[in-house]
Amino acid sequence: MANRKYEHLVKPLSIGGMDTNVMKDLKVPKGAFANGPGNADSIVWLNGRDHLEGLNLNFTWGFYSGIGDWHTGQDPHTHPYPECLVFVGLDSANLNYLGAEIEICLGEEQEAYTFDEPTIVVVPAGMPHCPLTTRRVWSPKGFGFYLASLGNVPTTTWMGDGVSEEAMKAMQEAAAKSGRQVGMTSYVSEKRLKKNPTKPTGKYAHLIKPLKTRMITQRGQRVLDGLTPEQREQMAASAPQLGPGNADHLAWFYGKDLEGLEMSINWGFFSKPGIWHRGVGAHVHPTDEVLVFAGLDPADINYLGAKIEIDLGEEHERYIFDKPTVVVCPKGLPHNPVVVRWVDRPYAFYLISLGGEHKTTAVD
Amino acid sequence: MAKRKYEHLLKTLNIATVPQMMRDGAGFKNTGNADSIYWLNGKEHLEGLPLNFSWGFYTGLGDWHPGMDPHIHPYPEALVWVGLDPDNVEYLGAKVSYCLGEELEVHTFDKPSVVIVPAGLPHCPSITQDVTNPIGYSFMIFSLGAEPTTTWMGAGVADRQEQQMRQAPPGGAEGVRGPLMVSSFSDKKIKVSPETLTYGHKYDHLVKPLTPFSTKISKLTPEERAQFEKMASDGMKVGPGNADDLIWMYGKDLEGLELNFTWGFYKSPGVWHRGPGDSDGAHVHPTDEVLVFVGTDPSDIDYLGAEISIDMGEEHERYVFDKPTAVICPRGVPHNPVIARYVDRPYAFFLIGLSGEHGTTYVD
């Protein structure tokens, strides 16, 4: 193989993995990776500083099956950056199936909003949010969750009355024992709030976005009803014709759909070999983005179930992977086509673009 | 794009037109001969390989070369009749009578078949008796000579026709190459008539039905199973883009010719071979071979109906095409993986290996 100019842009998700064996040594409820029974069974968490070439982003991917609070005693909390919390199902035949019931508190009022279908929760910078509670899980596979936060270092100020500096220190030491850099910068707020979910008034309802409201592909066919003319034009430019390897089901949210965030995100299920886009080779965007390829087997977060190639750069350097992987696409860097060589098990893909629009220019 | 080291090894089939004798009124209109055909030869198109081959679509009834046959070549060849039903590789959709030897021994078949013609053996007339598939059938010549060379022995060649065929073809016109056939005329003439045809069995061994080499291991012969298991032990598996049913005939099946060939229909996107290793089947052979990708739409011989990528060389230089194409693989040059990026219409593929066996060594 020739010199690999862009290999620093292609990363296995496992580089952001949490060592759950180490985490188990913590005195925490069974099944929790950190400090809540509802939290992840397995999770990866990548951040701009350590993993994403300095991008102003950190994101996760994890599998969840436990019932209960995600951060017992620690919430509410705030971040200095906005973020999207994306709750998704693991039924690749039905993007609108979550298989769980989730309650999330928003605002200092802790208005408790509940949903049982795939949903994005938009959290503005500085807004107290959580407790986050998994109330019920119906799916035998549990569900998936990713967060997309517009900060290159995960930074949290905990406001719960059950949190302590000692607990924070214990978590950081546990992470250090696993040989990993501490990903989260944690602070404890002087102002403490007791867990006290309140009945929702609707004040924050606009922050709750069901995925079904922005479906653009269903059963392999495009559904563009929800897009503006400009977005349709962009979509046509990036993918004049869907290839056989493209999504079975895909939802796409732009900044306008996310309370004006400088972010576009999508979520989709993919099950077939072949090229993703026909009629276009590589394209560029005026903003940075990451492409995340994740598996759907809750028993093995390091299993993708497919083999995929993607070209990067004007040279069309090809990268091939069969493990869960993130591809960092800095602004202006040509990327694509994506070609799926084989699929053993449906996989998921999500894109996080650091711009509210997703302008695309074909380069060849 | 980087410099294309191997681009001379990929040839669209339309670089070769039909032999001059088949055009301009000197050819075979209103006969059983081809409606459309490409004929590539080693001298002009195949980097000097001792091979010429054709691919064509056929619907007509009757003699293919009225008055001109039998004929001989200084090289052996295999003549292959195949159907165009991608769901049934054992369906020809036509009935053909073929004469072998000076005895004009008639052999008739209505299944996909190969006729082996040793060097110097008089053969033909070839007469299409019936065509039952409404879109006709296809036919390929695999001749082990770099230049198509024929000595016509028929007693019915008109002086004007002979004179025209002896003339140097015009050439030079756009899209027209030539000469593609070196014709001579035997002093010994053989008359073909109902009285001179024979119906013996001297040449039965030269006419063989095409037997599918199923990708289902339960249907393999012990020898094929051993070969398949050897490949599997190397980590190779059949990919989603591979053939549903494949015919593969070796020298031992072809009266000891230094030739092996495949024939199959391909319907699905994806890689053809999975593994061994990350390269998905990059390999070399100790002998030369040509990989030929053709369409199955008789109304347009230039339509492939798919987009294919193939890697060439140790560098894995990738070539992508969506027209009927021949890929020359000189001995020792690594090639593969083959990936079907999309398939709009089932396409066909045949391999021509210039040895009786098909030794394969995976390279990375």
Side-chain angles (χ1 to χ4, degrees):
Chain A
M1 287 287 185
N3 184 33
R4 311 295 282 160
K5 183 175 177 183
Y6 302 104
E7 61 189 4
H8 61 292
L9 300 179
V10 182
K11 324 253 190 178
L13 293 189
S14 58
I15 64 168
M18 305 288 190
D19 190 328
T20 51
N21 287 327
V22 171
M23 295 301 181
K24 283 175 185 172
D25 291 339
L26 288 172
K27 301 300 181 189
V28 296
K30 185 180 179 182
F33 91 94
N35 60 346
N39 217 313
D41 304 324
S42 54
I43 187 172
V44 293
W45 196 327
L46 285 77
N47 65 70
R49 179 192 63 189
D50 299 327
H51 312 114
L52 303 173
E53 304 299 312
L55 288 194
N56 191 36
L57 172 71
N58 69 89
F59 75 88
T60 68
W61 168 246
F63 293 109
Y64 296 71
S65 64
I67 306 289
D69 200 337
W70 287 30
H71 314 122
T72 306
Q74 295 180 208
D75 291 322
H77 67 262
T78 63
H79 308 293
Y81 43 70
E83 67 181 5
C84 289
L85 313 177
V86 186
F87 301 82
V88 294
L90 300 176
D91 178 359
S92 59
N94 184 356
L95 190 141
N96 200 39
Y97 174 78
L98 180 59
E101 182 180 278
I102 307 293
E103 178 189 275
I104 186 166
C105 294
L106 296 174
E108 283 200 19
E109 306 91 328
Q110 298 186 41
E111 286 195 8
Y113 292 85
T114 302
F115 51 86
D116 61 5
E117 54 187 23
T119 296
I120 298 174
V121 179
V122 181
V123 182
M127 189 181 93
H129 56 287
C130 294
L132 174 57
T133 305
T134 304
R135 300 182 68 90
R136 290 191 285 183
V137 176
W138 297 289
S139 169
K141 298 198 282 188
F143 64 96
F145 169 78
Y146 74 88
L147 64 78
S149 302
L150 294 181
N152 68 358
V153 179
T155 305
T156 302
T157 300
W158 303 96
M159 304 174 72
D161 65 354
V163 71
S164 67
E165 296 284 0
E166 291 72 25
M168 292 296 108
K169 188 178 177 185
M171 287 180 62
Q172 298 202 0
E173 286 177 350
K177 281 181 187 174
S178 72
R180 298 177 191 282
Q181 190 169 4
V182 178
M184 173 74 79
T185 301
S186 285
Y187 302 98
V188 177
S189 172
E190 292 182 2
K191 180 178 182 179
R192 300 300 183 94
L193 294 174
K194 185 179 177 65
K195 180 178 179 180
N196 182 29
T198 62
K199 188 176 178 181
T201 66
K203 178 179 178 182
Y204 301 107
H206 62 287
L207 301 178
I208 312 289
K209 318 275 187 183
L211 252 62
K212 68 182 180 186
T213 59
R214 288 294 178 270
M215 293 282 286
I216 65 163
T217 303
Q218 292 184 39
R219 294 189 174 90
Q221 301 298 315
R222 273 188 169 152
V223 184
L224 303 182
D225 299 347
L227 300 185
T228 66
E230 292 76 19
Q231 288 166 342
R232 290 188 193 199
E233 195 174 313
Q234 286 298 322
M235 197 64 71
S238 63
Q241 190 180 353
L242 295 181
N246 214 306
D248 302 319
H249 311 283
L250 184 68
W252 199 308
F253 287 71
Y254 296 92
K256 72 171 184 59
D257 309 314
L258 301 170
E259 301 301 309
L261 290 190
E262 283 301 325
M263 182 192 294
S264 302
I265 58 178
N266 70 18
W267 168 258
F269 293 120
F270 297 69
S271 67
K272 298 184 184 68
I275 198 166
W276 276 20
H277 305 116
R278 292 175 56 171
V280 65
H283 62 238
V284 296
H285 308 292
T287 50
D288 304 319
E289 71 175 10
V290 296
L291 313 177
V292 186
F293 300 81
L296 293 170
D297 182 358
D300 186 359
I301 198 170
N302 292 317
Y303 175 76
L304 180 59
K307 190 166 186 175
I308 295 171
E309 64 177 53
I310 183 171
D311 289 7
L312 292 176
E314 292 177 354
E315 312 88 334
H316 279 266
E317 262 193 17
R318 177 176 36 175
Y319 293 85
I320 303 164
F321 51 87
D322 60 3
K323 301 288 184 191
T325 294
V326 56
V327 180
V328 180
C329 301
K331 66 184 80 171
L333 179 75
H335 53 281
N336 278 21
V338 173
V339 178
V340 183
R341 292 186 170 191
W342 50 256
V343 181
D344 278 344
R345 180 179 179 134
Y347 63 97
F349 167 80
Y350 55 100
L351 168 159
I352 307 171
S353 173
L354 301 187
E357 298 179 346
H358 191 249
K359 288 184 177 175
T360 301
T361 305
V363 294
D364 57 30
Chain B
M1 284 288 184
K3 185 184 176 187
R4 311 296 281 162
K5 182 175 176 183
Y6 301 99
E7 60 190 8
H8 62 291
L9 299 179
L10 280 91
K11 317 276 188 178
T12 53
L13 295 192
N14 65 11
I15 63 169
T17 58
V18 299
Q20 171 67 19
M21 64 183 180
M22 296 179 70
R23 299 194 305 270
D24 302 331
F28 303 109
K29 288 180 180 175
N30 296 313
T31 71
N33 216 311
D35 302 323
S36 54
I37 186 172
Y38 285 126
W39 197 325
L40 283 73
N41 66 70
K43 179 182 174 186
E44 290 187 288
H45 314 114
L46 303 174
E47 303 297 312
L49 290 190
L51 171 72
N52 67 88
F53 76 86
S54 72
W55 165 254
F57 292 110
Y58 296 70
T59 57
L61 300 181
D63 197 338
W64 289 26
H65 315 126
M68 301 174 68
D69 289 321
H71 66 262
I72 57 173
H73 308 293
Y75 43 70
E77 65 183 5
L79 313 173
V80 186
W81 282 260
V82 294
L84 292 171
D85 181 353
D87 295 321
N88 186 359
V89 74
E90 295 182 85
Y91 172 72
L92 178 59
K95 183 177 178 181
V96 175
S97 293
Y98 201 83
C99 291
L100 288 167
E102 287 195 16
E103 303 90 336
L104 300 176
E105 187 177 284
V106 177
H107 296 263
T108 301
F109 50 86
D110 60 5
K111 303 285 186 191
S113 298
V114 54
V115 174
I116 300 132
V117 182
L121 180 77
H123 55 286
C124 286
S126 174
I127 299 173
T128 306
Q129 303 283 2
D130 196 8
V131 178
T132 52
N133 187 340
I135 63 169
Y137 65 95
S138 279
F139 170 76
M140 300 164 276
I141 289 174
F142 305 145
S143 297
L144 297 182
E147 191 171 25
T149 305
T150 301
T151 300
W152 302 96
M153 304 176 73
V157 181
D159 290 343
R160 183 185 65 82
Q161 194 175 15
E162 182 173 331
Q163 187 65 26
Q164 195 164 1
M165 293 176 69
R166 286 183 186 281
Q167 288 176 351
E174 186 177 355
V176 176
R177 298 283 298 274
L180 295 176
M181 175 71 77
V182 177
S183 283
S184 61
F185 295 87
S186 171
D187 292 335
K188 180 179 181 179
K189 301 292 185 184
I190 297 177
K191 182 178 180 182
V192 177
S193 72
E195 294 74 26
T196 57
L197 299 178
T198 68
Y199 296 90
H201 299 282
K202 180 178 178 182
Y203 300 108
D204 281 359
H205 62 289
L206 299 180
V207 182
K208 304 179 187 264
L210 301 187
T211 304
F213 173 100
S214 174
T215 51
K216 295 178 181 174
I217 196 166
S218 60
K219 294 184 179 178
L220 299 183
T221 66
E223 287 175 342
E224 290 167 342
R225 178 187 291 266
Q227 185 179 9
F228 188 89
E229 288 175 346
K230 170 71 168 57
M231 289 191 292
S233 69
D234 291 336
M236 196 279 279
K237 294 195 286 187
V238 175
N242 215 312
D244 298 328
D245 286 297
L246 187 66
I247 288 156
W248 201 321
M249 300 189 80
Y250 298 90
K252 67 180 177 56
D253 309 313
L254 302 169
E255 299 300 309
L257 288 191
E258 285 300 329
L259 173 71
N260 70 91
F261 74 87
T262 70
W263 166 255
F265 294 108
Y266 296 70
K267 305 173 192 170
S268 303
V271 71
W272 280 19
H273 304 105
R274 293 177 52 169
D278 285 339
S279 68
D280 285 331
H283 61 252
V284 296
H285 306 292
T287 51
D288 305 317
E289 72 174 9
V290 182
L291 314 177
V292 188
F293 301 78
V294 295
T296 59
D297 180 358
S299 70
D300 185 358
I301 196 172
D302 292 319
Y303 176 73
L304 179 58
E307 183 170 274
I308 308 288
S309 76
I310 184 171
D311 288 7
M312 301 294 292
E314 292 178 355
E315 309 88 337
H316 279 268
E317 261 193 15
R318 179 178 41 184
Y319 293 86
V320 181
F321 53 86
D322 61 2
K323 301 288 182 189
T325 296
V327 181
I328 301 162
C329 302
R331 69 190 72 175
V333 172
H335 52 281
N336 277 24
V338 173
I339 303 169
R341 293 182 161 192
Y342 66 79
V343 181
D344 283 340
R345 178 181 175 123
Y347 63 98
F349 167 80
F350 52 95
L351 170 160
I352 312 166
L354 297 186
S355 67
E357 297 180 339
H358 191 254
T360 298
T361 303
Y362 294 99
V363 293
D364 57 15

